Amino acid sequence: MQSLCWFIGRHAYLRGLVMLLLWSILTPLALAADLVQPRPQPNAPTGGTLTIGYMREISSPDGFQAVGSFDRMYFFAGNETLVSIGKDGLYDPAESLAYAYEVLDDGKRYRFHLRKGVEFQGGLGEMTAADVAWSLNRIHQADTGSRWSSLYRSFDRAVEVDRYTVDALLKERDANLIIRMFDRPSIVHSRKHWEAVGGAVQHKIRPLATGPYQLVDWQVGIDQKWMKHPAYWRGQPMADQVVIKVITENRTRLAALQTGEVQVAWLQAEQIPEAQKDPNIKVWSFGGVGWDGWAWYPGLAPLDDLRLRRALVKAVDRNALNKAVYLNTLMASKAHTFPTESAYGIDAKDLWDGEVLKFDPPAAKKLVQEVARDKGLKLPIELQGVCEQRPDRQLVCEFLQAAWAEVGVKLHLKIVANAAERLAVVEQCQTHVNQTGGLTVAPHDMEGILLSSATGNISMRVCQGKGHTLTPNDAKVQAELDRLLNEAAQQMDLPQALAIYKKVQRLALENLWLYVPAMLRVNYIGCHIPTTGGCDTNPIRGDGFVRVGDFWRKR
Amino acid sequence: MRKYLVRRLLNMLPTLILVSLGVFALVRWLPSDPARLLAGVDDSGAIDPALYARITKELGLDQPIVVQYAYWLGGVVRGNWGKSYLSGMEVLPQIVHRLQFTVQLAIAAWLFGLLLGIPLGTISAVRRNSPLDIAVTAFAISGVAIPHFWLGMMLIVLFAVWLGWLPYGGFDANLFVTPGLWIKQMLLPTFVLGTGLAAILMRQTRAALLEVFREPYILTARSKGLQESRVIWTHAMKNSLLPVVTIASLQFGTLVGGTVVTETVFTLPGLGKFVVDAVLRRDYLVVQMGLLVLTMAVMFSNFIADVVYTYLDPRIRYD
């Protein structure tokens, strides 16, 4: 009996062993089928120093803690996100630290499959699920320098499943999680290094991540130096060194590009005609990455009257604005926040060219007079505005001031030094108009302004009970926007989500709700062709910015 | 003399304390605050109030203003200049790094101004009302009138973009290690910054010399049959140099504190630009320390002017 049992046991054991062997051979093969191979570097390493001309102060080489949207121009030299955005604006697994993801538990769990062999800079070892989970969990921890908590309301926590698998657990379904992760909150850092340097403050100065270049020096206001990361997972970086040079003066930055001392530079719109004349410079553009216009607060009278809001839009000749202020380098929006051509964009030509919003000063004047008569207001109707002390912004403000004066509205402007001060003024609840702009790259950016709980919704979030009151009709508009946006955020089916986002934009535009994205921004990048590789096709990604790692020095 | 110097140096202390108070108060009178900037406006144009409150506390900005001042001044005296609110880096090494460059640029521009201004002023005075005098005077007026910003930009386009002889700007050279590169990188900024000084010195030298030429002892020297060059260099120049030296010394302080436009145009790592950037970012500690250091530079150059003045004019005694 014992021998039989032994035989049966041995048989089962052998069978188990065979199964195990088969599993161990087949499983990697099966996984390998799903594994998206890393995209190789576009060129063999050529060495040398690649110099990038950046136009303003660098906030931090640690992408997680960098504050401005333009900072993407440089921090992707060393930092990488869990999921990357491609040139088409979609998830690009070949350049992502997660080569695939699954949506589980009815959209409340996202499972990320990590690449093997992704090495951290500085010899910190391989990136594992523990690093990824820890990195994502910083989002809701204030002492990590995170400013992303409100953007990730649905995100609960990340947990390590195994060495190469991470689960992101959500409080509620979020159809936009992957799009949110294209930006810096999903940058993966080494916990070991973070703790070794003592936390966020020091990591902000000397971060280590997984990208192609490792920061070696940062002189505030002067430059950053990054050396190649020899164990980079996509192969040897093409340059030996990258220097991000801060050249705040626009003409000087163009001169640096013209002389070839800088290979790639961000160009200001007014420099474009000059740059395009230079045969050594190739200019690439990306339209619709953001919008420029103004925000206003329907809760503050007399802007609580939709007729006045419409009058003010109808008083502005956007083509003239484009020509006078932006030298025709922007585009008058034909939609709402997104360009019409974008999957999320709407065709609102009927509104912009029709009775509702068309440039028509006499009609605008009539509307203003109607509002003044009905509300017992004196003409000109007086509005308070705030404007940043920046040449383009001030010009826009003066343009609005002049255009509105023509139709009987006097705009008093308070000039402030920066966006933070602008916001401080707005939060005092006495300002009607706030000259501003924003991004259009992701649908969830709409939530940040239009939702009643959104930080950008000043009338609802800050000024309710402080002089701002929505009319019953406007309250209905807000309620409907809230409903639609919440529904869209949970809609996993893309076509259906798109339809809802289009409804949101139509409703917001018809009611000129909170912000008027009159112009679509265009980003410009210049390459010095004789010394620079990577500029034959448009190098700008779907977020409107370039990646340092895409360029190389020509020999 | 030594007593005078010591007294003069000690007199600087109350001035410095007053300046520190002024700088501290001025910086805080600026609208907004660094906590707002650090909290960062998100893509929707808003700031997280909880984060803002936390940063305010961390930076000590919730403390009474007197406490903040005392804490800051105590740190300055102890050599702890604090950390930049925005970058988190130590302020002291950053200021020292930039001051090194600014002093190099100021010295170069100052020497350029002296070497160009005094000889031109002399020629102009000696050849008074000649075409040469008119040309030199025109240069002087241009030197004062042309904005540094415009001149710098034109020089960049001409020498860097069109001719390709010089770099557009930037600075990473060392005078002793890479002197050739140092000269190349310093040439245009020195010219731009030094031209204004040269113009001032030229006009001052010319006026002073013309005044001295009218003195009886110059007439005596000439009537003795001395060579004109000796009359100018030995007799006239020494006496006419007094106001020139005073102005040149005082101008050194102005140069150290007035390099910001040149530094911006040529993308130079100087203290002026550093402080202006810090003002825009409301980086209080950097602004306070930068302004204090610049004030000290001006005070020190005034002090040197006094010393040189005493040396040149033995009639002046400080008891």
Side-chain angles (χ1 to χ4, degrees):
Chain A
M1 188 68 185
Q2 195 181 22
S3 62
L4 187 66
C5 284
W6 177 85
F7 176 77
I8 293 168
R10 191 178 60 170
H11 203 74
Y13 173 77
L14 283 171
R15 201 170 53 200
L17 196 66
V18 169
M19 290 297 286
L20 189 70
L21 274 170
L22 277 173
W23 184 80
S24 63
I25 293 166
L26 290 176
T27 304
L29 283 175
L31 277 177
D34 290 338
L35 174 68
V36 178
Q37 292 298 326
R39 179 169 298 120
Q41 300 279 27
N43 201 66
T46 53
T49 298
L50 183 77
T51 308
I52 310 288
Y54 189 59
M55 75 294 188
R56 67 183 186 198
E57 184 62 82
I58 282 164
S59 62
S60 169
D62 170 353
F64 187 78
Q65 297 189 67
V67 292
S69 55
F70 282 82
D71 296 50
R72 278 175 275 207
M73 278 272 294
Y74 66 83
F75 69 64
F76 280 122
N79 300 268
E80 289 181 311
T81 49
L82 186 60
V83 288
S84 295
I85 188 170
K87 285 185 183 173
D88 54 3
L90 300 174
Y91 166 52
D92 182 358
E95 292 194 14
S96 294
L97 297 175
Y99 67 83
Y101 70 89
E102 298 167 73
V103 183
L104 307 170
D105 297 352
D106 194 28
K108 286 191 174 180
R109 179 190 295 261
Y110 280 67
R111 174 158 291 177
F112 295 95
H113 298 282
L114 308 182
R115 291 184 183 284
K116 289 180 182 172
V118 174
E119 291 286 329
F120 278 115
Q121 298 153 357
L124 285 167
E126 191 187 25
M127 177 196 80
T128 65
D131 294 302
V132 175
W134 171 82
S135 295
L136 293 178
N137 284 328
R138 290 181 300 178
I139 288 169
H140 288 315
Q141 291 168 9
D143 62 349
T144 59
S146 170
R147 287 170 294 107
W148 318 112
S149 196
S150 63
L151 194 66
Y152 277 73
R153 281 185 304 274
S154 62
F155 175 76
D156 181 21
R157 67 189 192 280
V159 292
E160 174 188 359
V161 177
D162 60 40
R163 190 173 166 84
Y164 299 108
T165 312
V166 173
D167 277 358
L169 307 175
L170 308 185
K171 291 175 207 155
E172 59 189 29
R173 195 197 285 189
D174 182 1
N176 293 322
L177 184 72
I178 296 300
I179 300 173
R180 288 178 214 277
M181 285 187 162
F182 288 159
D183 201 359
R184 61 207 92 183
S186 83
I187 284 173
V188 179
H189 284 133
S190 156
R191 181 178 190 171
K192 200 163 118 189
H193 178 64
W194 180 281
E195 287 171 353
V197 296
V201 175
Q202 287 302 309
H203 199 270
K204 188 177 179 181
I205 306 170
R206 40 176 190 272
L208 289 178
T210 57
Y213 297 97
Q214 176 185 336
L215 182 82
V216 286
D217 187 36
W218 175 25
Q219 297 284 340
V220 175
I222 304 170
D223 61 22
Q224 279 183 343
K225 293 189 175 74
W226 303 71
M227 299 300 290
K228 73 172 176 183
H229 171 28
Y232 182 52
W233 60 277
R234 284 181 55 209
Q236 283 284 315
M238 295 174 285
D240 287 341
Q241 185 183 226
V242 168
V243 176
I244 310 289
K245 215 169 237 310
V246 177
I247 309 177
T248 51
E249 185 44 50
N250 292 326
R251 186 61 187 86
T252 309
R253 199 165 58 256
L254 175 59
L257 192 66
Q258 288 176 306
T259 59
E261 288 171 79
V262 157
Q263 275 66 59
V264 179
W266 174 267
L267 295 177
Q268 190 72 19
E270 63 260 31
Q271 310 298 336
I272 300 306
E274 177 73 18
Q276 283 171 333
K277 277 188 224 158
D278 193 319
N280 289 330
I281 294 179
K282 174 74 190 167
V283 178
W284 288 105
S285 63
F286 186 95
V289 67
W291 59 270
D292 227 285
W294 63 92
W296 52 18
Y297 306 104
L300 185 63
L303 284 180
D304 55 353
D305 194 313
L306 179 58
R307 288 174 299 171
L308 182 61
R309 303 203 291 265
R310 282 191 178 152
L312 295 177
V313 174
K314 287 170 77 64
V316 176
D317 181 351
R318 296 180 304 151
N319 290 324
L321 176 67
N322 194 16
K323 195 175 170 188
V325 178
Y326 301 111
L327 306 173
N328 277 332
T329 54
L330 266 60
M331 302 182 284
S333 172
K334 286 178 189 158
H336 190 238
T337 41
F338 289 88
T340 306
E341 303 74 33
S342 144
Y344 287 94
I346 56 169
D347 184 0
K349 204 170 179 300
D350 58 317
L351 295 178
W352 284 112
D353 294 347
E355 270 309 296
V356 182
L357 301 175
K358 189 184 175 187
F359 170 58
D360 185 354
K365 198 169 181 174
K366 210 171 148 193
L367 280 171
V368 170
Q369 283 167 350
E370 262 179 48
V371 172
R373 191 186 58 232
D374 294 353
K375 303 242 170 188
L377 297 171
K378 269 191 209 163
L379 283 172
I381 293 177
E382 305 213 5
L383 297 179
Q384 304 299 323
V386 62
C387 191
E388 258 176 75
Q389 197 173 32
R390 216 176 76 179
D392 56 339
R393 297 229 142 154
Q394 270 182 274
L395 284 173
V396 174
C397 288
E398 284 164 17
F399 190 97
L400 294 180
Q401 211 170 29
W404 292 347
E406 291 287 313
V407 298
V409 172
K410 190 175 171 76
L411 177 66
H412 299 276
L413 284 172
K414 181 165 187 162
I415 309 296
V416 296
N418 50 53
E421 284 177 23
R422 190 159 46 79
L423 190 66
V425 170
V426 167
E427 287 184 348
Q428 287 165 8
C429 304
Q430 297 302 313
T431 304
H432 299 92
V433 180
N434 167 16
Q435 201 282 307
T436 186
L439 296 177
T440 60
V441 289
H444 62 263
D445 287 330
M446 277 188 265
E447 294 171 10
I449 302 177
L450 292 175
L451 276 176
S452 53
S453 59
T455 40
N457 193 333
I458 301 296
S459 274
M460 295 299 292
R461 189 182 60 84
V462 185
C463 297
Q464 235 181 351
K466 294 181 189 168
H468 288 221
T469 314
L470 295 188
T471 61
N473 186 55
D474 282 350
K476 270 189 208 163
V477 172
Q478 182 65 73
E480 182 62 2
L481 286 169
D482 284 353
R483 190 188 68 76
L484 289 170
L485 282 167
N486 286 326
E487 192 185 330
Q490 301 212 5
Q491 181 52 258
M492 304 302 288
D493 180 65
L494 186 62
Q496 288 195 45
L498 286 177
I500 302 171
Y501 281 120
K502 287 180 180 190
K503 266 192 205 172
V504 166
Q505 292 176 79
R506 184 102 196 162
L507 184 62
L509 192 58
E510 279 169 350
N511 289 280
L512 296 167
W513 200 249
L514 288 163
Y515 60 118
V516 182
M519 313 296 295
L520 291 176
R521 277 187 208 152
V522 183
N523 283 357
Y524 293 96
I525 288 289
C527 298
H528 186 256
I529 296 298
T531 60
T532 317
C535 284
D536 295 337
T537 54
N538 193 339
I540 303 176
R541 299 290 177 105
D543 58 4
F545 299 93
V546 291
R547 301 291 186 269
V548 171
D550 290 345
F551 302 102
W552 66 92
R553 283 298 298 259
K554 284 183 182 167
R555 282 184 196 276
Chain B
M1 181 68 174
R2 187 177 297 167
K3 266 169 90 179
Y4 164 73
L5 293 180
V6 172
R7 204 174 64 226
R8 186 76 174 69
L9 280 171
L10 285 175
N11 280 346
M12 285 186 188
L13 279 177
T15 315
L16 268 178
I17 291 173
L18 273 177
V19 167
S20 74
L21 257 173
V23 164
F24 187 86
L26 270 175
V27 167
R28 271 150 185 82
W29 268 334
L30 291 170
S32 183
D33 61 84
R36 273 195 163 269
L37 286 177
L38 263 184
V41 178
D42 65 24
D43 290 345
S44 66
I47 284 173
D48 180 350
L51 180 63
Y52 171 68
R54 188 176 61 80
I55 293 172
T56 304
K57 195 167 187 306
E58 275 174 14
L59 297 181
L61 297 172
D62 56 339
Q63 298 288 320
I65 200 114
V66 179
V67 175
Q68 287 184 43
Y69 176 71
Y71 186 75
W72 170 63
L73 201 62
V76 173
V77 173
R78 290 194 305 272
N80 173 16
W81 290 17
K83 287 180 180 174
S84 156
Y85 289 162
L86 294 183
S87 69
M89 291 183 188
E90 293 282 347
V91 173
L92 180 59
Q94 290 198 75
I95 285 188
V96 168
H97 176 73
R98 283 155 180 87
L99 188 65
Q100 281 171 357
F101 172 78
T102 297
V103 168
Q104 286 181 65
L105 178 61
I107 290 175
W110 190 70
L111 288 175
F112 176 81
L114 285 182
L115 293 175
L116 192 68
I118 294 177
L120 284 182
T122 309
I123 292 167
S124 187
V126 172
R127 301 265 184 269
R128 192 185 175 194
N129 294 332
S130 68
L132 193 63
D133 179 30
I134 294 167
V136 171
T137 306
F139 162 78
I141 292 168
S142 311
V144 175
I146 293 176
H148 287 182
F149 182 82
W150 184 85
L151 180 62
M153 217 45 102
M154 292 300 111
L155 291 175
I156 288 174
V157 171
L158 178 63
F159 288 101
V161 179
W162 291 356
L163 299 172
W165 292 350
L166 294 169
Y168 74 92
F171 181 82
D172 51 7
N174 184 310
L175 177 59
F176 304 106
V177 182
T178 51
L181 183 64
W182 189 91
I183 291 169
K184 272 181 131 181
Q185 291 183 335
M186 282 296 229
L187 208 56
L188 293 182
T190 300
F191 182 83
V192 169
L193 200 60
T195 307
L197 176 65
I200 292 167
L201 291 181
M202 176 263 150
R203 292 175 69 181
Q204 190 60 49
T205 307
R206 182 180 183 272
L209 269 176
L210 288 176
E211 200 175 316
V212 169
F213 282 160
R214 284 195 287 270
E215 295 287 332
Y217 71 88
I218 296 293
L219 190 64
T220 308
R222 280 179 176 146
S223 63
K224 279 198 305 184
L226 288 180
Q227 278 185 333
E228 188 60 15
S229 60
R230 198 158 170 210
V231 172
I232 295 165
W233 295 110
T234 312
H235 294 273
M237 193 56 99
K238 193 171 178 188
N239 287 313
S240 65
L241 268 184
L242 270 175
V244 176
V245 167
T246 311
I247 286 176
S249 308
L250 292 174
Q251 283 291 319
F252 183 75
T254 312
L255 282 179
V256 171
T259 54
V260 60
V261 174
T262 311
E263 287 169 0
T264 304
V265 171
F266 291 100
T267 319
L268 299 169
L271 187 56
K273 183 172 179 293
F274 186 56
V275 172
V276 170
D277 287 347
V279 170
L280 294 175
R281 299 191 313 256
R282 304 292 187 266
D283 203 344
Y284 285 177
L285 284 180
V286 173
V287 178
Q288 285 161 199
M289 288 317 306
L291 289 178
L292 208 58
V293 167
L294 288 173
T295 309
M296 283 168 72
V298 173
M299 286 168 67
F300 191 69
S301 70
N302 289 358
F303 172 73
I304 297 291
D306 282 353
V307 174
V308 174
Y309 205 69
T310 318
Y311 174 76
L312 284 177
D313 188 351
R315 291 170 302 177
I316 299 169
R317 290 284 175 268
Y318 300 95
D319 297 320

